[in-house]
Amino acid sequence: MTEAPASAFTPRVFSGIQPSGGLTLGNYLGAIKRFVEMQGDSFETIYCMVDLHAITTWQDPAVLRRNTRELCAGFLAAGIDPEQSVLINQSQVPEHAQLGWMFSCVARMGWMKRMTQFKDKAGKNAEAASLGLFGYPALMAADILIYHATHVPVGEDQKQHLELTRDIAAKFNHDYGVDFFPMTEPVIEGAATRVMSLRDGAKKMSKSDPSDMSRINMTDDADAIAKKIRKAKTDPEPLPETLDGLKDRPEARNLVNIYAALSDTTAEQVIAEHAGQQFGTFKPALVDLAVDRLAPISSEMARLMEAPDEIDAILARGAERARAIAAPILKQTYEIVGMVG
Ligand code: TYM
């Protein structure tokens, strides 16, 4: 049985973000900014607030509602056009959960046990983690494959989940002797596929880090952005002449990557322009750049949050468009599997 070539399917992008806390600069550079860049003529684009994923750990209902709308405001403020892209929250498109169940029956326990994100999130007390947290990657595969998506832009930390998505598609196709689900391509590109904590270059920037100084939030104002960058951990050396010189300097490398991603260049170009500079010079340049790029997004998010009804209307319309794609694919899946309909 040969793999379904992605080219046999409509070029379609899907990606999702959990509304389980504020958006960070990591989410922006690793995901949302890339989502905006992929909008256009070559792909249909579907972007999702994965609220069903968020509840794999307990969420206060009022906070979840607010976070979902705020995430939608973040997508819009960053440049997602709700006409060009389909913008949805996962729970309004029930086909995700329906295909998720089917994939829970395809994925193997052994595959799921290898997922490093489960180990990280469940921590030492895995017995107390929800079953949903363990089964989460099967639902993630369904998010993607319910649209026969061919390309999925994500940050580096989602790579293993996308490999599992391909394994699930291949096993389904093999078990039922069909060529039905595509082999989705992960798109992990750009200068900042793994933005690190501003306090510790060995840790990923994350919304769950207890220290707010470790991350830039997309809702931070200019003063907060400036303060966090000025206080970011660095080392006493100036920036080197070549990228190689940053090999054992994770904090310095992180700031260079952030600069490159925000200015739409590469880390090599940033080094070429700033070689020999001390952080006393480089950090203020990064502050100016970050405030220039991020402050308009945060103020637009605040403006959009004043009209939650408009956000809800965009999500309702998105759900309708998404279901028009997802429902026939679910129906065909049921037929393949042998459900009487
Ligand atoms: P989530 O909500 O943790 O993160 C959303 C996106 O942001 C990226 N990201 C980062 N990129 C670079 N540096 C960082 N420090 C950083 N932190 C987060 C993530 O890689 C991701 O692209 N399981 C997913 C959500 C999901 C999904 C999907 C994604 C559910 N279904 C289907 C793609 C397709 C998650 O928890 O992402």
Side-chain angles (χ1 to χ4, degrees), residues 15-16 18 26-27 136 140 143 154-155 157-158 193 195 204-205:
S15 199
Q18 294 198 52
N27 297 133
Y136 172 125
M140 178 163 161
D143 297 336
V154 284
D157 61 345
Q158 295 301 314
T193 55
V195 178
K204 192 183 69 169
M205 182 181 286

